[in-house]
Amino acid sequence: MLQGKRILVGVSGSIAAYKSALLVRLLVKAGAEVQVIMTEGAKAFITPLTLATLSKRPALSAFVSNPATGEWTNHVELGLWADALVVAPASARTLARCAHALCDDLLSAVYLSAKCPVFFAPAMDLDMYRHPATRDNLNRLQSFGNQLIDAEFGELASGLVGEGRLAEPETIVQTLVRHFAKNSVVAGKRVLITAGPTQEPIDPVRYISNHSTGKMGLAIANAFAQAGADVTLVCGPTHLPTPDASIHRVDVRSAQQMYEATAEAFPKADLLILNAAVADYTPLHPAEKKIKKKEAQFTIELGKTVDIAATLGSQKRPGQLLMGFALETDNEAQNALDKLERKNLDWIVLNSLRDAGAGFGHDTNKITVMDRGGAVQVFDLKTKDEVAADLLALVVEKWGNEVKV
């Protein structure tokens, strides 16, 4: 959502200015073009060189950039250039400047010239943050249509504990992502995702499972949630937390439970992504009590589990899209294509255990994506967040083409 977006980052005089370095880095990493504007007070806490290096642009602070030649910084042009202005940290003084149009520094002049959405992320001590004058300025700025990224609760530079901490850079980036997602083709789409392993009980203390951690599925759920989708995540046993508060998570254990939860949500889904590593077989007669170690050999009778992809693929209505995953060890491409056809999928995402860094347990993955039209896309080894972004881009392209038609 931030790829190619032009973001102005205003940095004012606050001890929290050190966090602006990470904010700039995250925005640049997300593909945004970043221009930093600093107040004079900000320079006491972080150097222009640091922010210029991270943003790959000079950090601006003066109206006249070169007194010898009279070269000036065009605040009007900056205000027109940006897709968003985020002031982080926004000190009490900067909030007052902008709220009352004092326009006595470059940042406040750019704010008054901005035609784009503006976000203020306050940072100050708790009593300053609570003061009626500060609250009045915040309310005033919001009444102009600006958006507030609330300060967080925690230990402050004064040693006191309370509200006033600058929102974490990740939170600020997520706020910007959500803003730009509102007008994307993903916004409001209902996306159903399965993730993690299943556990098939042998007795009350043992089960059959696999090495899936759920990392890939949760990364995909996070990517679609941040793009504005209404995400339901049906998740097998994993220690990983839900990455985005907007995700509706349904925790399950067995293959049967995963099927039932997925089938219930499927009729309303625009897209189903089947990333979970679902057991193909389950014990037919789980013991009610712990099985004691007695026999030299022990046999467990297994039965097939429901094939979630094939079952729901056969029920797919016009307009629904299905994406499946195939983890293979041999004859990878043919096995994946067979699965694509048999299960009526629109895409199949192939992993091979023969690729270093791919498969279960890694923070990286290497995928090949095949679609029903015969297209094959081979991706390099990437982090699972980057892989999720690539899959999101494929779906966005598909939905975007449908909108054009």
Side-chain angles (χ1 to χ4, degrees):
M1 290 298 108
L2 296 181
Q3 185 69 41
K5 299 299 183 184
R6 297 172 174 179
I7 311 294
L8 291 171
V9 176
V11 183
S12 61
S14 164
I15 186 62
Y18 77 91
K19 289 186 179 181
S20 61
L22 179 55
L23 173 60
V24 170
R25 180 176 177 274
L26 290 173
L27 290 171
V28 170
K29 186 178 179 181
E33 296 180 48
V34 178
Q35 176 63 65
V36 175
I37 302 171
M38 304 178 69
T39 66
E40 287 301 315
K43 296 178 183 179
F45 298 97
I46 189 168
T47 67
L49 178 60
T50 297
L51 296 173
T53 301
L54 293 170
S55 66
K56 301 178 176 59
R57 295 169 179 265
L60 306 176
S61 60
F63 285 107
V64 181
S65 55
N66 189 336
T69 63
E71 186 177 348
W72 68 297
T73 303
N74 191 330
H75 59 279
V76 175
E77 186 176 277
L78 285 168
L80 295 173
W81 172 83
D83 295 306
L85 164 60
V86 55
V87 184
S91 66
R93 183 172 184 176
T94 291
L95 291 172
R97 277 187 178 126
C98 294
H100 297 279
L102 297 184
C103 198
D104 59 351
D105 67 359
L106 182 61
L107 178 55
S108 56
V110 170
Y111 162 70
L112 291 174
S113 303
K115 299 295 185 182
C116 60
V118 180
F119 301 81
F120 287 95
M124 63 199 75
D125 207 67
L126 66 99
D127 291 317
M128 297 171 65
Y129 190 56
R130 292 173 179 169
H131 196 282
T134 302
R135 304 315 303 178
D136 183 64
N137 286 334
L138 289 170
N139 291 335
R140 186 177 176 86
L141 288 168
Q142 287 179 286
S143 75
F144 299 154
N146 303 304
Q147 299 183 52
L148 177 65
I149 304 175
D150 290 321
E152 297 180 354
F153 184 94
E155 185 176 354
L156 305 170
S158 65
L160 298 175
V161 175
E163 282 187 312
R165 285 170 60 105
L166 177 67
E168 291 302 318
E170 293 84 357
T171 300
I172 297 171
V173 170
Q174 191 174 76
T175 300
L176 292 172
V177 167
R178 289 194 181 285
H179 165 74
F180 288 114
K182 290 176 182 176
N183 296 320
S184 77
V185 295
V186 183
K189 291 285 190 181
R190 289 165 293 192
V191 178
L192 176 59
I193 300 168
T194 67
T198 63
Q199 295 177 354
E200 309 305 315
I202 297 171
D203 63 19
V205 297
R206 302 180 181 93
Y207 54 81
I208 298 171
S209 191
N210 55 61
H211 298 294
S212 174
T213 61
K215 289 180 181 179
M216 189 70 255
L218 269 72
I220 295 170
N222 187 49
F224 276 88
Q226 292 199 352
D230 180 2
V231 176
T232 296
L233 175 67
V234 180
C235 193
T238 175
H239 69 282
L240 298 175
T242 307
D244 189 293
S246 70
I247 295 171
H248 174 58
R249 178 166 171 170
V250 181
D251 288 309
V252 298
R253 182 184 178 194
S254 68
Q256 182 63 27
Q257 290 171 348
M258 182 165 285
Y259 164 68
E260 291 171 359
T262 307
E264 182 179 353
F266 178 64
K268 295 182 179 180
D270 297 299
L271 168 67
L272 169 60
I273 301 178
L274 295 158
N275 175 255
V278 184
D280 293 324
Y281 293 89
T282 187
L284 287 177
H285 308 290
E288 294 182 0
K289 297 181 180 180
K290 180 182 177 182
I291 299 171
K292 297 298 183 181
K293 184 179 179 181
K294 295 178 181 179
E295 296 85 356
Q297 294 183 335
F298 181 71
T299 301
I300 301 174
E301 188 177 5
L302 302 176
K304 275 190 176 182
T305 59
V306 177
D307 189 325
I308 300 175
T311 302
L312 298 184
S314 68
Q315 300 171 10
K316 184 171 66 170
R317 58 174 166 77
Q320 275 187 314
L321 297 174
L322 270 67
M323 178 183 289
F325 277 68
L327 179 61
E328 302 292 343
T329 58
D330 60 275
N331 199 20
E332 291 99 334
Q334 189 57 53
N335 286 337
L337 284 172
D338 288 346
K339 187 173 182 178
L340 175 74
E341 293 298 327
R342 284 187 293 106
K343 303 190 179 186
N344 197 25
L345 305 175
D346 296 281
W347 296 276
I348 189 75
V349 182
L350 171 63
N351 309 123
S352 173
L353 284 180
R354 295 198 284 185
D355 291 328
F360 297 141
H362 298 286
D363 292 326
T364 54
N365 205 356
K366 186 177 187 305
I367 63 169
T368 298
V369 182
M370 308 172 186
D371 67 24
R372 294 194 68 80
V376 178
Q377 297 189 54
V378 180
F379 295 85
D380 294 330
L381 184 71
K382 300 183 179 184
T383 68
K384 288 187 173 177
D385 286 337
E386 291 169 331
V387 171
D390 287 336
L391 297 177
L392 170 64
L394 290 175
V395 176
V396 167
E397 182 180 13
K398 175 74 171 175
W399 277 333
N401 288 336
E402 290 175 353
V403 170
K404 291 175 185 176
V405 172

